[in-house]
Amino acid sequence: MSHPSAEDEVVELCSELIRIDTTNPGDHSGPGEREAAEYVAEKLGDVGLEPKIYESHEKRSSVVVRIEGTNPARDALLIHGHLDVVPAQRDDWTRDPFGGEIADGCVWGRGAVDMKDMDAMVLAVMRERLRQGRRPERDVVLAFLADEEAGGTWGAHWLVDNHPELFEGCTEAIGEVGGFSLTLPNDQRLYLIETAEKGLAWMRLTATGTAGHGSMVHRDNAVTALAAAVGRLGEHEFPIQLTKTVRAFLEQVCEANGTEFDPDDVEKTVEDLGPLKRMIGATLRNTLNPTVLASGYKANVIPQTAIAQVDGRFLPGHEEEFFDTVDELLGEQVSREFVHHDIAVETEWEGPLVEAMAAALRAHDPQARPVPYCLSGGTDAKSFSTLGMKCYGFAPLKLPKDLDFSGMFHGIDERVPVDGLRFGVRVLDHFLDHI
């Protein structure tokens, strides 16, 4: 019986995964990941593996399997992806966000780049390799995870806390949001490999005052105190602080542009990055963004409490000063607690695994210039780094010059180029031959 090549199968796998609705609203009200987990487990089982589904909460399912390498003395590599996606409003989209349509040279739908594309690439590559009897030298652990879009509490964090034995011997890991191309105005093509990501602090703020009648003079007003604090947080601009990863990235950009790196005017370098400047610009400093406000129930009643939520992100090595600033801005009448809090991570841009990623990219794009970068958001790498792994973002895609790739993440009309998927399969296959 003949089988489709990995390059052909990856498109079908990506489309089928998108058609499985794994929307994660963050409160267990969505469909969960169970159906997608069963789909992945079946595809892995087809080629002789024995994957196991782990359920942390009803329908919150992850799949893990270990592929034995040819040299058991080597340390293992973890390849991880998540199965959940953020919500999508069908009326906002040009095409059905859960249709997995293939049109205009792309696979369309929620999760096309975040990150059912990488899930599909890993499945396609491993299915082909195992059919051909081509096992990697190292053990490779595959993990397809629940709940990444809500911080990984019921996915990666849960597995690390409850089943660390699954990752025994894993010293390095690759996951999402890295290995994608960025074409500069001079047509130099960079491939951004994530070696760092900001920490996150989703905070709930509470102001408490004295309830009363809206017609009275009332100086102890919780709404007023909260609004003032939220205003201070939202208007505060942290200073630029160049971490080693961000500095290395900007230096590489300048070198590719043929310009001199100016540490006193890094924002000019960022401006030249096109749509990606939003994401890279957010890695120059800590950030605070108010996102939710809630208080009161009637126009003439002063409420006793007022509540807000804020999305805070801090650079590697700058967590303590970040919270010192937050507490100073809040003032005495407003307290904070975490909705979700997770670490920043940063690893070195060196070593055999980095060389293998770079070589695989260059093998399939001679113009490739691999560079390290810091992600402004967060991934499941945070969880796996606590087990001592060096974590990288490496989900390779060669992208059209004019595609707003960062805008695809959680955006309307999310889509991934078919040619990009096929390129990613070739790169990952080469990479697995040299890890």
Side-chain angles (χ1 to χ4, degrees), residues 96-213:
D96 181 356
F98 298 102
E101 291 183 56
I102 301 167
D104 302 327
C106 293
V107 183
W108 294 65
R110 179 57 86 219
V113 300
D114 188 13
M115 63 170 294
K116 290 179 176 178
D117 58 339
M118 178 61 166
D119 295 335
M121 287 191 285
V122 171
L123 283 174
V125 169
M126 287 303 187
R127 280 163 61 84
E128 181 175 83
R129 292 179 68 92
L130 290 172
R131 285 193 188 108
Q132 296 171 350
R134 293 191 298 129
R135 291 181 178 267
E137 185 176 333
R138 305 167 68 169
D139 279 13
V140 172
V141 176
L142 304 182
F144 298 84
L145 303 157
D147 201 41
E148 190 276 343
E149 296 293 2
T153 300
W154 301 99
H157 274 302
W158 185 87
L159 284 173
V160 165
D161 291 343
N162 292 277
H163 294 284
E165 73 281 356
L166 295 173
F167 312 105
E168 182 70 33
C170 290
T171 56
E172 296 166 311
I174 64 168
E176 63 176 327
V177 205
F180 59 92
S181 67
L182 167 66
T183 305
L184 299 176
N186 64 0
D187 290 331
Q188 289 269 338
R189 198 153 47 242
L190 308 182
Y191 282 83
L192 281 65
I193 296 174
E194 187 210 302
T195 58
E197 58 188 52
K198 294 173 83 173
L200 64 87
W202 297 338
M203 295 171 283
R204 182 182 295 106
L205 313 180
T206 304
T208 303
T210 304
H213 198 289

Side-chain angles (χ1 to χ4, degrees), residues 7 16 36 47 161 165 196 272:
E7 284 190 55
E16 289 179 353
V47 289
D161 291 343
E165 73 281 356
D272 294 335

Side-chain angles (χ1 to χ4, degrees), residues 159-432:
L159 284 173
V160 165
D161 291 343
N162 292 277
H163 294 284
E165 73 281 356
L166 295 173
F167 312 105
E168 182 70 33
C170 290
T171 56
E172 296 166 311
I174 64 168
E176 63 176 327
V177 205
F180 59 92
S181 67
L182 167 66
T183 305
L184 299 176
N186 64 0
D187 290 331
Q188 289 269 338
R189 198 153 47 242
L190 308 182
Y191 282 83
L192 281 65
I193 296 174
E194 187 210 302
T195 58
E197 58 188 52
K198 294 173 83 173
L200 64 87
W202 297 338
M203 295 171 283
R204 182 182 295 106
L205 313 180
T206 304
T208 303
T210 304
H213 198 289
S215 66
M216 305 292 182
V217 175
H218 211 97
R219 306 207 183 279
D220 182 26
N221 189 315
V223 176
T224 304
L226 182 75
V230 168
R232 290 191 296 270
L233 293 174
E235 292 170 2
H236 181 76
E237 184 170 85
F238 286 87
I240 290 175
Q241 296 171 302
L242 293 185
T243 63
K244 63 181 179 182
T245 297
V246 173
R247 186 184 183 99
F249 171 76
L250 295 174
E251 288 174 344
Q252 292 265 13
V253 169
C254 288
E255 188 176 317
N257 276 329
T259 58
E260 190 168 338
F261 173 68
D262 182 357
D264 296 320
D265 191 13
V266 294
E267 289 178 310
K268 182 181 184 301
T269 302
V270 172
E271 276 298 315
D272 294 335
L273 298 177
L276 201 65
K277 68 184 180 184
R278 296 191 302 272
M279 183 168 71
I280 299 300
T283 65
L284 301 180
R285 49 169 57 91
N286 298 329
T287 58
L288 282 166
N289 282 303
T291 53
V292 176
L293 279 171
S295 182
Y297 54 90
K298 196 170 187 292
N300 65 344
V301 177
I302 297 170
Q304 187 174 6
T305 59
I307 295 171
Q309 291 189 32
V310 177
D311 185 332
R313 309 281 174 147
F314 49 88
L315 293 164
H318 295 278
E319 181 173 1
E320 184 176 350
E321 66 195 65
F322 170 81
F323 285 115
D324 286 345
T325 300
V326 169
D327 290 339
E328 183 178 341
L329 292 169
L330 285 178
E332 294 182 1
Q333 199 172 338
V334 181
S335 63
R336 65 173 171 88
E337 60 183 334
F338 290 123
V339 176
H340 190 78
H341 175 217
D342 216 333
I343 59 174
V345 294
E346 188 165 36
T347 193
E348 300 297 328
W349 176 245
E350 62 184 19
L353 195 75
V354 169
E355 293 168 9
M357 289 186 277
L361 288 166
R362 293 192 191 103
H364 296 281
D365 181 1
Q367 290 182 263
R369 184 179 187 134
V371 298
Y373 91 105
C374 177
L375 178 65
S376 60
T379 75
D380 285 328
K382 296 181 186 302
S383 298
F384 296 119
S385 71
T386 65
L387 294 178
M389 298 183 212
K390 292 181 178 180
C391 297
Y392 301 90
F394 188 61
L397 290 171
K398 183 180 179 182
L399 301 168
K401 182 176 181 178
D402 59 351
L403 181 70
D404 179 7
F405 183 62
S406 62
M408 293 291 103
F409 286 80
H410 301 188
I412 295 169
D413 287 343
E414 183 181 350
R415 59 197 181 276
V416 63
V418 167
D419 287 346
L421 288 171
R422 290 174 172 156
F423 172 84
V425 161
R426 295 194 295 273
V427 171
L428 284 175
D429 189 55
H430 186 286
F431 168 73
L432 288 167

